[in-house]
Amino acid sequence: MNIKLISGAIALLLCVASCTQKDDVYLTVIPQPNNATELTGTVALSDNICITAPSGNDGADKVVRYLSGHFNVSDGEASTPILLKEDTTMAAEAYLLEITPSKGVEITAAPDGSGWFYGVQTLMQLRNAGNGVVKAVRIDDAPRFVHRGAHMDPARNWLPKEEVLKFLDLIALYKLNVFHFHLTDDQGWRIEIERYPRLTEVGSKRPHTQIGHADTYNPVRYDSIPDEGYYTKDDIREILAYAADRFITVIPEIEMPGHASAALAAYPEYSCGLGKTYIVQGRFDVFDEVFCPKEETFEFLCNVLDEVIELFPSQYIHIGGDECPKKAWAKCDHCQKMIKDLGLADEHELQSYFIKRIEQHVNSRGRSIIGWDEILEGGLAPNATVMSWRGEEGGIEAASAGHDVIMTPAHWCYIDYYQEDPALAPQGIGGYLPIDTVYSYNPVSAAIPDSLQHHIIGSQVNIWGEYIQTPEHFEYMAFPRLLAMSEVQWTQPSRKSFEHFCRALDAEFPRLDSLGVNACRNFYQANIFGHYNRDTKQYEVELKTLWPDAEIEYTLNDSTFAEALKYTQPFALENNATVWARALRDGKQEAPATHRILKVSKASGATVDTHSEIIDGYVGLPRDSYAWKGTYGDTITVTFDEPVEVSSVRSRALYRPNYLWWPPSRVTIEVSADGDKFETVFDQEKMPFAEPPTESTAYPVAADFKPTEAKVVKVILKCCKSISSDSGEPAHVALDELEIN
């Protein structure tokens, strides 16, 4: 052992206070340790430490180097020892952390060093949460999963190297050990390949980026801001060294055979041709421009992968494999001849052939491939690992066939979705994924037999970059939801507690602030929910906050809170209103007030035959699909508990061609007093609609008629477009709130 003196904000000055030993305590640490015992006494963490570490140990050197980058040096008598002890019987990444007044800090782990590193992260969080005073404790901890990943997508919108390094620092704090680096896509090629310089000369640049969501059927509005940038090989080497010092494996992703527009703009000879002009896309969509599976294409891709493999030491190389349209292959004479010559059934089996060819090459270089769950289509490559993103089904299928799986289903793991009311949030890709939903995820599905559950090697959060144009926006999307996923990845289900997680997160926010992280502040806000209470027969508003021990104030139609009421229980809403709410603790407000427009009508609480959310009180935001519900038919039937007098129907229809959503060209209202005999009370064929130059416009749907008693109201909609998607799905109408009065 050799003595290394490192100063730090973590240096320890010991003081003793009496306390009772407690087993299985919860700590203000994220992710929550799996075993913790509170010991007698407290330890005051001051400024001076000295580290005793094994000599000639690369892992120990990394930990010492990490600490020396964070803390100062002192060797005075007040220094408290931090002892790094080796135990060759311990599993990699496990650690035993003991903090006692008599010995200071001891961290025991396997010689690879990762356990020491994670013990240090726990120590730093305890110090931060305790304001320098930590209860004596014994923590015996190890991760649930070996793959604990986070994904970054600078291919869509360039993010500089400095943001990559910052993100590596941040994920290391929360014990993630895999960084998935999405380096190529239709909108940009972001890694230097010396043999093919045009990949970055051409493929890393585009003149503009679309504004708003994608629109397949009409011209898209673009900004006038060029997007360009790529990582040189020296940049990559710096990123890899930085990650290695934090015990993080970097897995590169080179997309194929789809998502290839940027590569084909540089080297169109590797496409199917077909008379197309290839460009680096400024629009976000799934494009038909894919690699053609000819020998020269395989030579090109294998040469690219060889340079990637030479740079990246990871066992895994991610080759994408997702969202590959087959249109070009269906029209390509070469592809059709391949299908016939190889005895393949169709283009799906041709994609499987493509992936297997690439896997053979990667395996020949001593590495393994990962692909998105589409690589299951047509038959899975024999040694591939699957990332299941379109739900859990692909992962269950792959695990059942004996393949390793990383679970990353969008419903729980896509943190480019909105995490708060979209009306209050920066642009997101769509969907709604709050932090408590992330936290609730269990990557090991009950549908997988016990004997095969070991094939679930971990999970991952994905942060796709389509609408993330700045580092600040990236951090807003990632934090604090990434912390919730860290507990999914590390902590055993029996030790998880969302209540304790929120208390730990409350203590952790100041550190995020001190590190300059632009985290979403919804944790400190009041969230507003509305629902119809069938017991009280009233539309009720419920207010919630994740901030522990906070109170909520609310007001209706008044953002000044001049006459705010204290929220104690759900309250009834009789009419349309804008509800304003804010959370406070000890009279202090940590984040802006929230508000939500809620609609209440005679239809509130009625039964709807399709998409009950069409009557939920929520008003849709035109720039996002949240709160809009496609009818997928031409009739909405609303049934009241008792007959009521009605004279109007109101709603809004969203123009979103990319989703095949168009406003109605004709609206017919039929009513029935008994549910049997119907009378037409409104019929208008030419509804107001002027097709705008881009998507996301809400058009009013209004029908007024003479007062009529109704038990049942039918709203019959005729879509103003008769187009259909490639899958044959017809255009339809999407509404937000359906009001009947």
Side-chain angles (χ1 to χ4, degrees):
M1 307 283 278
N2 71 316
I3 304 295
K4 297 187 178 180
L5 299 176
I6 309 292
S7 93
I10 202 174
L12 304 173
L13 186 61
L14 308 179
C15 74
V16 179
S18 128
C19 64
T20 305
Q21 177 172 316
K22 297 179 183 178
D23 294 330
D24 297 325
V25 295
Y26 282 90
L27 305 173
T28 47
V29 173
I30 301 172
Q32 184 65 220
N34 284 299
N35 296 282
T37 301
E38 188 179 292
L39 305 176
T40 300
T42 61
V43 176
L45 310 180
S46 90
D47 293 329
N48 303 311
I49 61 172
C50 81
I51 299 181
T52 302
S55 59
N57 182 298
D58 182 61
D61 290 344
K62 287 181 180 181
V63 175
V64 171
R65 194 159 58 240
Y66 180 84
L67 287 169
S68 67
H70 287 74
F71 309 111
N72 301 319
V73 174
S74 176
D75 59 356
E77 292 184 0
S79 298
T80 299
I82 294 182
L83 175 62
L84 304 184
K85 299 169 63 176
E86 283 184 298
D87 184 341
T88 57
T89 67
M90 292 182 69
E93 301 190 309
Y95 67 92
L96 174 63
L97 170 63
E98 296 176 289
I99 305 174
T100 61
S102 59
K103 294 183 179 179
V105 178
E106 294 185 354
I107 307 175
T108 305
D112 77 296
S114 57
W116 291 323
F117 184 79
Y118 297 136
V120 165
Q121 301 309 324
T122 298
L123 177 66
M124 292 167 68
Q125 281 197 59
L126 289 170
R127 180 187 184 278
N128 180 67
N131 293 318
V133 178
V134 177
K135 291 181 179 180
V137 68
R138 183 182 191 274
I139 300 171
D140 186 0
D141 201 12
R144 182 184 182 195
F145 294 109
V146 298
H147 183 111
R148 306 182 301 281
H151 161 284
M152 174 187 274
D153 172 23
R156 267 52 181 274
N157 282 298
W158 168 247
L159 291 169
K161 176 185 67 177
E162 291 72 22
E163 183 63 15
V164 178
L165 299 176
K166 182 179 180 180
F167 190 54
L168 289 170
D169 254 337
L170 291 168
I171 66 176
L173 297 182
Y174 304 105
K175 303 183 176 72
L176 277 69
N177 65 351
V178 176
F179 175 55
H180 179 169
F181 208 5
H182 186 81
L183 290 165
T184 74
D185 217 294
D186 294 299
Q187 295 78 21
W189 184 283
R190 307 300 189 182
I191 179 173
E192 177 186 16
I193 301 295
E194 292 174 356
R195 185 162 180 169
Y196 302 103
R198 286 177 57 81
L199 286 172
T200 47
E201 290 171 0
V202 174
S204 69
K205 305 172 184 177
R206 64 174 189 264
H208 53 219
T209 302
Q210 75 174 49
I211 299 170
H213 287 102
D215 187 332
T216 302
Y217 300 97
N218 289 288
V220 181
R221 288 187 302 139
Y222 293 97
D223 62 25
S224 57
I225 305 170
D227 182 276
E228 59 182 272
Y230 67 92
Y231 307 102
T232 66
K233 287 193 170 181
D234 284 343
D235 290 335
I236 295 293
R237 293 184 185 101
E238 181 181 349
I239 289 167
L240 290 168
Y242 201 82
D245 274 354
R246 286 149 184 79
F247 298 89
I248 294 170
T249 297
V250 182
I251 296 178
E253 181 176 1
I254 307 298
E255 275 274 11
M256 61 186 78
H259 289 285
S261 296
L264 295 177
Y267 294 97
E269 58 266 35
Y270 303 122
S271 72
C272 291
L274 305 177
K276 285 202 169 190
T277 299
Y278 298 92
I279 63 170
V280 182
Q281 299 288 348
R283 180 163 62 87
F284 304 118
D285 204 346
V286 176
F287 297 94
D288 296 333
E289 290 80 0
V290 302
F291 288 116
C292 184
K294 48 194 176 185
E295 287 306 311
E296 51 266 43
T297 303
F298 287 118
E299 181 182 359
F300 163 75
L301 289 172
C302 290
N303 288 336
V304 168
L305 289 171
D306 282 347
E307 290 197 31
V308 171
I309 288 169
E310 185 180 356
L311 270 177
F312 289 85
S314 59
Q315 179 60 39
Y316 285 124
I317 304 295
H318 203 304
I319 51 83
D322 62 313
E323 296 178 328
C324 178
K326 312 297 191 295
K327 276 187 177 180
W329 291 355
K331 296 177 181 178
C332 173
D333 292 340
H334 170 79
C335 293
Q336 293 304 304
K337 186 175 185 300
M338 281 189 71
I339 291 172
K340 181 179 179 181
D341 291 348
L342 294 171
L344 305 176
D346 52 24
E347 288 79 17
H348 293 288
E349 289 195 4
L350 182 59
Q351 177 169 336
S352 178
Y353 169 81
F354 191 114
I355 298 299
K356 289 174 181 176
R357 280 283 301 266
I358 294 299
E359 184 190 47
Q360 288 171 3
H361 181 78
V362 172
N363 290 167
S364 75
R365 299 296 188 264
R367 307 296 181 87
S368 304
I369 69 166
I370 295 179
W372 302 106
D373 55 55
E374 284 95 332
I375 68 174
L376 290 161
E377 297 171 1
L380 184 58
N383 302 309
T385 294
V386 172
M387 276 191 173
S388 188
W389 74 276
R390 297 178 299 175
E392 295 186 306
E393 293 78 9
I396 294 169
E397 179 184 343
S400 299
H403 291 266
D404 285 346
V405 173
I406 298 153
M407 285 293 199
T408 180
H411 180 72
W412 291 281
C413 300
Y414 272 42
I415 58 175
D416 51 335
Y417 287 11
Y418 288 105
Q419 57 191 310
E420 57 182 329
D421 188 338
L424 309 175
Q427 179 80 56
I429 198 169
Y432 178 57
L433 181 53
I435 191 169
D436 53 342
T437 302
V438 176
Y439 188 87
S440 70
Y441 184 49
N442 183 356
V444 180
S445 169
I448 301 173
D450 292 347
S451 61
L452 296 173
Q453 288 184 359
H454 65 279
H455 284 298
I456 307 300
I457 63 173
S459 63
Q460 177 172 292
V461 288
N462 295 326
I463 313 171
W464 295 102
E466 283 92 337
Y467 303 99
I468 299 174
Q469 294 185 307
T470 66
E472 292 76 18
H473 193 174
F474 175 81
E475 292 169 13
Y476 163 88
M477 287 296 189
F479 296 96
R481 287 182 291 184
L482 185 140
L483 278 67
M485 180 54 70
S486 78
E487 202 146 302
V488 170
Q489 296 168 332
W490 183 279
T491 308
Q492 294 293 337
S494 61
R495 282 286 288 171
K496 289 178 63 186
S497 162
F498 189 65
E499 178 186 352
H500 285 100
F501 170 78
C502 287
R503 293 192 176 278
L505 183 55
D506 187 28
E508 191 64 10
F509 254 103
R511 182 159 70 147
L512 291 173
D513 292 341
S514 71
L515 294 171
V517 178
N518 183 43
C520 173
R521 307 294 292 188
N522 182 251
F523 177 82
Y524 293 107
Q525 293 177 309
N527 293 308
I528 303 165
F529 303 94
H531 70 281
Y532 186 81
N533 187 326
R534 295 199 170 276
D535 293 331
T536 63
K537 298 188 182 304
Q538 291 179 310
Y539 187 86
E540 293 183 345
V541 179
E542 186 176 8
L543 307 179
K544 297 180 181 179
T545 183
L546 299 177
W547 192 11
D549 306 320
E551 296 181 341
I552 298 176
E553 292 182 347
Y554 73 94
T555 182
L556 302 183
N557 306 315
D558 181 8
S559 63
T560 67
F561 290 87
E563 298 181 359
L565 301 173
K566 182 179 178 180
Y567 177 79
T568 57
Q569 62 185 16
F571 58 90
L573 202 63
E574 300 294 338
N575 300 297
N576 296 348
T578 300
V579 180
W580 289 84
R582 64 180 180 180
L584 305 98
R585 190 168 70 188
D586 300 326
K588 185 178 180 182
Q589 183 176 338
E590 290 285 348
T594 56
H595 67 277
R596 173 169 255 171
I597 300 171
L598 294 172
K599 299 282 189 176
V600 181
S601 74
K602 291 181 178 179
S604 302
T607 301
V608 189
D609 66 336
T610 179
H611 290 297
S612 61
E613 299 92 342
I614 287 177
I615 303 178
D616 60 8
Y618 295 168
V619 175
L621 187 69
R623 68 178 168 90
D624 188 68
S625 59
Y626 180 66
W628 299 89
K629 299 296 179 289
T631 62
Y632 299 93
D634 58 3
T635 302
I636 304 168
T637 302
V638 180
T639 304
F640 298 96
D641 292 339
E642 300 291 340
V644 297
E645 185 178 83
V646 298
S647 60
S648 72
V649 174
R650 294 282 188 276
S651 190
R652 296 186 306 161
L654 186 62
Y655 172 73
R656 175 67 68 77
N658 190 54
Y659 286 15
L660 295 175
W661 290 352
W662 261 269
S665 61
R666 181 173 186 168
V667 174
T668 304
I669 308 296
E670 296 181 356
V671 302
S672 172
D674 58 7
D676 185 23
K677 183 180 179 181
F678 284 85
E679 173 190 1
T680 299
V681 295
F682 181 89
D683 189 17
Q684 183 172 323
E685 184 162 2
K686 293 185 178 180
M687 297 298 292
F689 170 58
E691 195 162 351
T694 189
E695 50 106 37
S696 296
T697 301
Y699 285 87
V701 176
D704 294 298
F705 43 91
K706 66 179 181 180
T708 308
E709 186 178 75
K711 170 73 172 176
V712 180
V713 174
K714 287 186 178 181
V715 181
I716 304 169
L717 306 169
K718 180 181 179 182
C719 187
C720 70
K721 284 279 183 177
S722 58
I723 65 166
S724 64
S725 67
D726 294 339
S727 65
E729 179 189 2
H732 46 267
V733 178
L735 306 177
D736 57 354
E737 180 68 8
L738 186 66
E739 301 173 76
I740 302 178
N741 282 305

